[in-house]
Amino acid sequence: MYSSKIVYTGSYVPERVVTNDELSQIVDTSDEWISTRTGIKKRHVSTGENASDLASKTAEDILKKGNIDPLSIELIIVATVSADYSTPSTACLVQAKIGAKNAAAFDVTAACSGFVYAVSVADKFIKTGTYKNVLVIGTEVLSKITDWTDRTTCVLFGDGSAGAFLERCETGGIIAEDIGSDGERGMSLTASNILASNAFNDVEKVPSSCIAMDGRAVFQFATRQIPKSIENIIEKTGIDRNEIKYVVPHQANSRIIEIISKKTDIPMDKFYINMENYGNTSSASIPIALNEMVEKGMVKRGDKIIITGFGGGLTWGTLLVEW
C-alpha cells in the first residue's frame, strides 16, 4: 500500500484586519476581555471575497510554490462550513477558477475538524492507488454567518483559507489517525439552520444563518476529547513524546491548548499558536498555522508532527504526520 505525504502548503487571508478595539465599538467588549479569555487580538474579515475566492487564491499559492500544472491535479477536496452555495460545491468552483479541469472535486463538512477530515479522505484515495495527488483546502468566510451583535461569538471568528498538496510516497507521510464524532452533542454548535418548509406543509420558514454556540459545552468537549485523541495516537504508534517535534492544534482558544498540553504532558513550546492574529478560522485554522510553520522553516523532512482539530458536529480528528 502507498503512503501520502504533504509536499507543499499555501494560504490566503483577506486584507482587512479587525482589531479587538474595533470590535469594542460594535459590541460591549474590550481588548482585555477578549485577549485574556481567548488569546485573540485581531482577525481578517472579507470585504466581498467569498469562500471559493479565498480557496482559489490558496490553490494558486500552492501551485506557484510547487510549480504544479493545474491540469495534473487529480482530486480537489475543500473543507468548509461557509460555502458560496449549497451546490455547486466550493471545490468545483475552485476547480474552474484555477483551470484544474482534470480533477474530481467535492466538499467536506466537519466544521473546525474539516481540514483533518479532508486530509484523511485524501490519504485514503492515495493509499488505495486511486489518485497520485490531492489538493486539500480549508476555507471559511465566517463573517457572513456571524451575528455581529452577539459579543459571545463575534469576537472569536475570522476569515481565511489555507491548504496542502498531497502526493503518493513510499514511506512516512500520514502515519496514523484518530477521528470521531459525537452527534448527541451536535447542537452545542450550529450555523445556517434550514427548516423543512415547502408548499405542502405549514412549517414557518424562519431563516437562521448565524453561528450559535454553547461555549462552555464546546470548551469541555475539546479539553476532554483532544487529549484522549492524542493519547490514542501515541498508543497506536508507540511513538515517544520526545519524538513529536510540534503539535499543530485548531486555533480556537489559548486556554484550551494549555489544558491539552497539561493533560498530554507535551510542553506548550511544542504547540504552535497563531490565533492572536487570525482568530478562529474553523477549517482554515490548522492549515494556516501549518503553512506559517513551513514558511518559517520550522518543519523539515523527517520531522514528526501531530495535527489535531475539534469543532461542530461535534467532531474531532488527530493525525500523526512524518513531514
Side-chain angles (χ1 to χ4, degrees):
M1 183 181 289
Y2 302 107
S3 294
S4 66
K5 183 184 290 289
I6 295 174
V7 290
Y8 302 107
T9 63
S11 70
Y12 175 81
V13 294
E15 290 185 8
R16 178 71 164 94
V17 175
V18 176
T19 65
N20 290 346
D21 287 332
E22 285 184 88
L23 282 181
S24 69
Q25 299 172 23
I26 299 174
V27 293
D28 182 16
T29 189
S30 68
D31 174 61
E32 188 275 336
W33 191 92
I34 299 169
S35 59
T36 56
R37 288 165 175 77
T38 68
I40 299 167
K41 300 287 289 184
K42 57 187 177 181
R43 71 285 296 147
H44 293 257
V45 175
S46 170
T47 55
E49 295 170 304
N50 217 331
S52 68
D53 299 315
L54 305 190
S56 296
K57 290 178 180 178
T58 289
E60 290 166 359
D61 184 35
I62 294 171
L63 297 183
K64 182 179 179 180
K65 288 175 177 175
N67 193 27
I68 301 166
D69 182 352
L71 296 178
S72 71
I73 300 173
E74 298 183 355
L75 175 63
I76 300 171
I77 305 176
V78 172
T80 187
V81 294
S82 53
D84 299 22
Y85 304 94
S86 296
T87 189
S89 70
T90 307
C92 283
L93 296 176
V94 171
Q95 183 221 40
K97 289 181 179 185
I98 66 173
K101 63 181 181 181
N102 294 323
F106 62 86
D107 288 357
V108 169
T109 303
C112 305
S113 307
F115 180 74
V116 177
Y117 271 60
V119 169
S120 173
V121 173
D123 178 57
K124 306 308 179 297
F125 274 111
I126 291 175
K127 281 183 174 176
T128 57
T130 306
Y131 296 115
K132 294 179 182 178
N133 66 65
V134 184
L135 175 61
V136 178
I137 297 172
T139 185
E140 303 290 3
V141 180
L142 298 177
S143 59
K144 69 182 181 182
I145 57 172
T146 295
D147 180 354
W148 292 97
T149 66
D150 178 9
R151 71 170 187 163
T152 64
T153 57
C154 76
V155 302
L156 303 175
F157 301 107
D159 300 337
S161 175
F165 192 72
L166 281 71
E167 288 184 346
R168 179 186 295 177
C169 65
E170 297 300 323
T171 59
I174 312 301
I175 297 174
E177 68 175 43
D178 180 78
I179 288 178
S181 58
D182 182 358
E184 291 185 356
R185 290 188 281 180
M187 300 310 291
S188 299
L189 178 53
T190 63
S192 301
N193 180 25
I194 303 173
L195 300 178
S197 173
N198 56 55
F200 304 98
N201 64 40
D202 57 0
V203 175
E204 184 180 3
K205 190 171 185 179
V206 182
S208 177
S209 61
C210 293
I211 298 170
M213 182 173 65
D214 181 342
R216 182 180 295 274
V218 174
F219 187 96
Q220 291 174 344
F221 165 76
T223 53
R224 283 198 303 263
Q225 190 59 56
I226 295 305
K228 291 180 182 177
S229 186
I230 292 174
E231 291 296 340
N232 285 343
I233 288 287
I234 292 172
E235 184 177 342
K236 282 180 183 179
T237 61
I239 187 173
D240 189 293
R241 292 168 208 271
N242 294 325
E243 295 181 69
I244 301 169
K245 184 71 176 291
Y246 293 108
V247 178
V248 189
H250 169 47
Q251 307 289 314
N253 184 298
S254 57
R255 291 181 175 179
I256 290 176
I257 296 174
E258 288 168 2
I259 293 172
I260 293 171
S261 170
K262 184 176 181 179
K263 286 189 173 182
T264 58
D265 198 27
I266 299 174
M268 273 295 292
D269 60 10
K270 287 193 173 186
F271 285 79
Y272 187 80
I273 300 174
N274 69 351
M275 68 190 70
E276 176 182 2
N277 298 319
Y278 301 97
N280 180 346
T281 55
S282 189
S283 66
S285 81
I286 290 174
I288 287 175
L290 193 59
N291 183 61
E292 279 193 352
M293 295 172 70
V294 172
E295 291 185 339
K296 291 177 180 179
M298 295 175 64
V299 288
K300 298 177 175 60
R301 288 301 167 195
D303 287 347
K304 292 183 175 65
I305 64 174
I306 284 179
I307 297 171
T308 187
F310 57 89
L314 296 171
T315 59
W316 72 87
T318 302
L319 302 174
L320 175 61
V321 179
E322 182 177 318
W323 199 254

